[in-house]
Amino acid sequence: MEDEGARSNGAAEWPKPAIPNGVVVACVVVALLAVSALLWVLFQKTTGPGEIVNRYYQAAADGDCDAAYGLLSRGLQQANAHDSFCAGLQTAQLPADPKIESVTLVGPEGSAREAEVSVDTCGSTAVWKLERADDTWVITSLADSPCASASLTP
């Protein structure tokens, strides 16, 4: 007598899967693509206040006045003409890689519109104030550290 599940060579025959392997592979690929796209969108849209301050320091260290000026709020830009801002930024001597001590969001949880970023620079703590403008953060008050705000109007 021969078993129903046995082949002629003696090996047992595996039952066919309920879901074809191609469908499983396709679902896994679609899921990976969806997660990757979601992460990419979130990364593009969620630049926090600490990252904006880092960008400001990097732009200042690189001598890129336009990039640093572009991170300021409209009010701060109006208080600091572009040319005088650039002149002050050249003398500020900011480090390219500041050490952020803390980021404090102000406002209801999940919808904060203001932030304070404390940075260890020039031997003291500098506090930067930012606000949410559309889908990004802008600097509303330059740090109170002497090396960070040289020749600029706070």
Side-chain angles (χ1 to χ4, degrees):
M1 272 173 66
E2 195 174 300
D3 289 337
E4 288 181 14
R7 293 187 185 169
S8 61
N9 66 0
E13 188 174 318
W14 290 96
K16 291 187 177 188
I19 302 173
N21 290 337
V23 172
V24 172
V25 169
C27 288
V28 169
V29 168
V30 167
L32 288 174
L33 290 174
V35 169
S36 297
L38 177 63
L39 290 175
W40 184 80
V41 167
L42 289 175
F43 180 76
Q44 296 297 320
K45 296 289 182 185
T46 56
T47 302
E51 178 62 25
I52 296 300
V53 171
N54 272 329
R55 286 182 186 177
Y56 182 89
Y57 275 90
Q58 186 63 53
D62 292 344
D64 189 350
C65 177
D66 292 334
Y69 195 75
L71 297 171
L72 304 180
S73 67
R74 287 188 185 122
L76 203 51
Q77 288 177 350
Q78 290 171 349
N80 294 279
H82 185 272
D83 293 339
S84 63
F85 173 82
C86 291
L89 193 64
Q90 289 175 351
T91 63
Q93 299 179 355
L94 295 174
D97 55 346
K99 179 185 175 206
I100 293 181
E101 293 178 345
S102 67
V103 176
T104 305
L105 299 176
V106 180
E109 188 174 331
S111 62
R113 303 294 300 164
E114 297 177 0
E116 290 184 357
V117 179
S118 298
V119 180
D120 179 9
T121 183
C122 300
S124 64
T125 299
V127 178
W128 295 80
K129 295 186 180 189
L130 295 91
E131 71 181 13
R132 192 130 174 98
D134 298 324
D135 62 346
T136 189
W137 291 89
V138 292
I139 298 169
T140 58
S141 174
L142 298 171
D144 56 4
S145 173
C147 70
S149 57
S151 304
L152 302 177
T153 303

